Amino acid sequence: MGITGTLSSDQLDSFNSQGYLVIESFANPEDIESMMKRMDKLLDDFDYTNVSVFSTKNQRKVTDDYFYQSAENISFFFEEKAFGDDGSLKQPKQLSINKVGHALHELDPVFKGFSSSEKSSGLLSSLGYKKPVIIQSMYIFKQPGIGGEVVPHQDNSFLYTEPTTCTGMWLALEDATLLNGCLWAIPGSHKNGLVRRFLRGENGVYFDQPSPSYDQKDFVPIEVKAGSLVLIHGDLIHQSFENQSSKSRHAYSWHVVDTDGCKWAPEN
């Protein structure tokens, strides 16, 4: 028996019109507690001798082997502002991590169970997926005071298939507000198609086109409560700002592509 779609016609209309959809109370408090406690344990066990810094501003920082290999591992990436001039952490590692990824959905039983749950599969069925595959997953911390900016982007730029099929599933594990770095998006921007691709070549990674200039007035904030899920169309222009508050903004995100009648780009 196939998975039954769980989105209403009104929800589908909203997603197709806006390019994103907020589903409140998608995760219950027990789900949230389980994932946050599991991440606490993963961090406690993490030896940060092998350091990698994550940045969406300077992509050259993420061309190292550690980042590439994270596609099949549970890897840890620090915030750019986590280190002092002497190279040491300015605060405990638990408050210095940018994200953990990108195979939590495969290798960790807690995150695998939630990512592959029937309710998650039901959303994909509603969106028309035939043979969906989770291509990556990450736990994002958005640390107080140092949680970095994520510049405007489209998920299809990085996770390209022919035809394009990527959908982002972004789960708030804590309240996401204007102060702590909630998502922002340009409603309807997915209708303009993919702007540029992020490619992998012999000399590293690069965008095939320069970044367009966006008017910040076109973006709207997506403030959500813990437990809310934000569905994100692969062509939607979205971003988040630095966390300038004293509160973190934990989230779990996973991205899905279809494998039925679609080709994964080897140069991703």
Side-chain angles (χ1 to χ4, degrees), residues 9 18 67 106 133 144 158 205 217:
S9 58
Q18 300 297 307
F67 183 81
E106 285 188 354
V133 169
F158 307 91
V205 292
K217 294 180 181 179

Side-chain angles (χ1 to χ4, degrees), residues 14-259:
S14 179
F15 178 78
N16 291 329
S17 172
Q18 300 297 307
Y20 67 92
L21 177 70
V22 175
I23 304 174
E24 297 179 349
S25 302
F26 185 79
N28 60 43
E30 291 75 23
D31 292 328
I32 295 172
E33 182 181 19
S34 177
M35 284 185 272
M36 295 186 75
K37 281 189 173 181
R38 178 57 183 158
M39 185 50 62
D40 284 342
K41 180 64 167 60
L42 291 173
L43 278 176
D44 285 343
D45 295 342
F46 167 53
D47 177 5
Y48 62 92
T49 304
N50 184 9
V51 170
S52 186
V53 175
F54 184 77
S55 169
T56 64
K57 289 186 175 180
N58 184 356
Q59 294 292 349
R60 286 177 297 178
K61 289 181 178 291
V62 300
T63 58
D64 60 3
D65 288 342
Y66 187 78
F67 183 81
Y68 284 144
Q69 294 166 3
S70 72
E72 299 176 353
N73 292 300
I74 297 175
S75 302
F76 299 77
F77 300 89
F78 284 93
E79 288 284 359
E80 287 186 285
K81 297 181 180 179
F83 298 91
D85 293 337
D86 61 354
S88 62
L89 287 176
K90 293 189 288 186
Q91 52 192 351
K93 64 180 178 180
Q94 288 84 353
L95 297 176
S96 304
I97 293 288
N98 171 285
K99 69 174 182 176
V100 175
H102 291 94
L104 288 164
H105 64 283
E106 285 188 354
L107 302 179
D108 187 88
V110 173
F111 291 97
K112 181 177 182 178
F114 189 86
S115 308
S116 304
S117 65
E118 186 171 338
K119 61 182 176 181
S120 297
S121 299
L123 295 179
L124 299 174
S125 178
S126 293
L127 295 176
Y129 281 82
K130 303 301 182 183
K131 295 181 180 178
V133 169
I134 301 174
I135 206 69
Q136 71 168 19
S137 56
M138 50 191 152
Y139 190 107
I140 308 163
F141 294 83
K142 207 71 159 179
Q143 302 284 6
I146 65 169
E149 173 188 7
V150 178
V151 298
H153 67 282
Q154 298 167 296
D155 293 336
N156 273 330
S157 294
F158 307 91
L159 305 170
Y160 184 79
T161 60
E162 296 179 356
T164 54
T165 61
C166 180
T167 297
M169 305 176 79
W170 191 96
L171 178 72
L173 300 176
E174 298 178 309
D175 293 352
T177 69
L178 291 174
L179 291 178
N180 70 3
C182 69
L183 295 174
W184 291 70
I186 302 179
S189 57
H190 65 297
K191 298 176 183 178
N192 298 323
L194 184 61
V195 174
R196 59 180 184 160
R197 289 183 59 194
F198 191 62
L199 305 174
R200 181 177 182 177
E202 293 182 359
N203 298 320
V205 292
Y206 62 97
F207 281 106
D208 65 351
Q209 300 288 337
S211 175
S213 177
Y214 297 107
D215 188 339
Q216 290 297 322
K217 294 180 181 179
D218 293 334
F219 286 86
V220 299
I222 308 176
E223 294 187 278
V224 295
K225 293 292 187 181
S228 297
L229 181 74
V230 185
L231 284 180
I232 302 173
H233 189 285
D235 283 343
L236 182 76
I237 304 294
H238 59 289
Q239 65 178 357
S240 66
F241 295 110
E242 292 184 350
N243 182 356
Q244 299 181 347
S245 77
S246 60
K247 296 182 179 180
S248 59
R249 191 225 64 187
H250 289 203
Y252 175 57
S253 175
W254 65 108
H255 292 87
V256 180
V257 298
D258 210 341
T259 59

